[in-house]
Amino acid sequence: MYRRDLLTAEIERLAQVLARIMGLKLEGDLAQAGLLLNETLETSFNLPPSVLENSELSVFEKWLNETGMPAEKLDTLSEFLYYELGISPERNALIATKLNLIYKVLAEKHKIVHLTNFHRQEIIQQYLPSAP
């Protein structure tokens, strides 16, 4: 029970951080938003920028498998990444492939499926590289 309360408090704090990042973007302070995002990904999700920025999906997949992140926190990570879309075509493709993998892990490993993620999966299809 105590662990669940800690996780809930952390998710609520992360939601506030995400709101701050989105506010900074709306204010046009993209540099500060990027710094806060990277800091949060690294400290709260143990996701190094090098893993996120790596174009090899296997690097991200390995990190994802090794973290053993709870489903609720993984879902929160997907929100952070989802709101990173729209910066550039290259960044969109990079983030979209990782989001697809997160949604797959949530559905297959954690048996968590919800309409928001279904809708987001449809949206990110436009950002995914075309198969040869």
Side-chain angles (χ1 to χ4, degrees):
M1 182 73 169
Y2 183 70
R3 178 173 151 71
R4 174 68 60 195
D5 291 343
L6 284 175
L7 184 59
T8 300
E10 183 178 11
I11 299 298
E12 288 172 1
R13 183 188 62 78
L14 287 169
Q16 292 172 348
V17 172
L18 181 57
R20 179 70 183 130
I21 291 170
M22 292 171 64
L24 287 167
K25 285 182 177 183
L26 288 173
E27 294 168 7
D29 195 348
L30 300 180
Q32 188 62 34
L35 287 173
L36 184 54
L37 173 71
N38 287 336
E39 177 185 311
T40 303
L41 292 177
E42 201 157 8
T43 59
S44 297
F45 297 102
N46 296 321
L47 176 56
S50 60
V51 171
L52 182 62
E53 302 299 328
N54 195 311
S55 60
E56 293 293 323
L57 187 60
S58 61
V59 172
F60 184 78
E61 188 171 17
K62 180 179 183 231
W63 169 84
L64 192 58
N65 289 330
E66 289 175 353
T67 62
M69 195 177 301
E72 299 87 350
K73 196 165 177 182
L74 187 57
D75 194 48
T76 301
L77 173 61
S78 76
E79 288 189 41
F80 274 80
L81 295 181
Y82 181 78
Y83 289 111
E84 267 299 283
L85 293 171
I87 294 175
S88 71
E90 296 80 20
R91 179 90 172 154
N92 293 343
L94 187 72
I95 297 296
T97 56
K98 290 168 175 75
L99 273 172
N100 242 3
L101 183 58
I102 290 172
Y103 295 140
K104 180 180 176 185
V105 168
L106 283 170
E108 293 176 3
K109 180 179 178 184
H110 298 287
K111 308 298 184 222
I112 294 179
V113 179
H114 49 76
L115 291 176
T116 302
N117 286 355
F118 274 140
H119 178 67
R120 288 179 178 173
Q121 282 178 294
E122 289 176 10
I123 291 172
I124 66 171
Q125 292 306 309
Q126 65 184 314
Y127 301 122
L128 294 171
S130 302

